[in-house]
Amino acid sequence: MTFAVHEIGEDRAIEAEAPVLRLPPSQARLAHARGRAVFVDLRMAQEMKRTGIIPGAFPCPHGLTDLWIGPGSPVSSTGPADEKIFVFCCGNGLHAPQAAQSARHMGLRQVFVLDGGMDAWLAGGGSVAALDQQQVH
């Protein structure tokens, strides 16, 4: 499966301003199954605990994303950036675009938002795992 990545030339500043693409839950589940995606869960720990998280997701409540995205951070060091896509998710898909845009400003290139958020992931039968409180960043 190929993911369309919106790129505008070589100018990172211009690329970072382009709208972040929304990844439909069906494509997100496929990317997850293939191990190609790094999911960043932006919800508060209480909500992650209540509903579970996408298996292997990086739990990072929304207000802390800038601390965990920079060079050498846990999110950016998850694998070669050219081989991974980064999928930001929140509860319903409304808050993730801001964090995803921030991630692009910080240098991540293949950044997406899970369309519909965790609500859509769960409604589409996406798998979940229990939150390990020690994982929350």
Side-chain angles (χ1 to χ4, degrees), residues 67-82:
L67 299 173
W68 296 99
I69 294 173
S73 72
V75 171
S76 62
S77 64
T78 56
D82 293 339

Side-chain angles (χ1 to χ4, degrees), residues 94-114:
L94 298 177
H95 295 100
Q98 179 182 7
Q101 193 68 275
S102 179
R104 285 172 85 195
H105 280 281
M106 297 181 84
L108 294 183
R109 293 180 58 104
Q110 296 192 76
V111 177
F112 295 85
V113 170
L114 177 59

Side-chain angles (χ1 to χ4, degrees), residues 20-21 23 36-40 74-88 100 103 108-114:
V20 175
L21 296 176
L23 191 62
R36 183 157 182 252
V38 175
F39 286 82
V40 181
V75 171
S76 62
S77 64
T78 56
D82 293 339
E83 295 177 15
K84 297 280 185 178
I85 63 169
F86 296 86
V87 182
F88 287 76
L108 294 183
R109 293 180 58 104
Q110 296 192 76
V111 177
F112 295 85
V113 170
L114 177 59

Side-chain angles (χ1 to χ4, degrees), residues 2 6 14 16 36 43 45 47 52 54 57-58 60 71 77-78 82 95 97 99-100 106 108 110 112 116 122 131 137:
T2 302
H6 183 80
I14 293 172
R36 183 157 182 252
R43 299 173 301 145
E47 187 163 356
I54 295 170
F58 183 83
C60 184
S77 64
T78 56
D82 293 339
H95 295 100
M106 297 181 84
L108 294 183
Q110 296 192 76
F112 295 85
L122 293 168
L131 173 68
H137 298 281

Side-chain angles (χ1 to χ4, degrees), residues 3 5-6 19 25-26 32 34 37 42 50 57 84 86 89 127 137:
F3 293 95
V5 178
H6 183 80
S26 60
H32 182 267
R34 292 183 175 170
L42 303 167
R50 183 177 58 81
K84 297 280 185 178
F86 296 86
C89 64
S127 62
H137 298 281

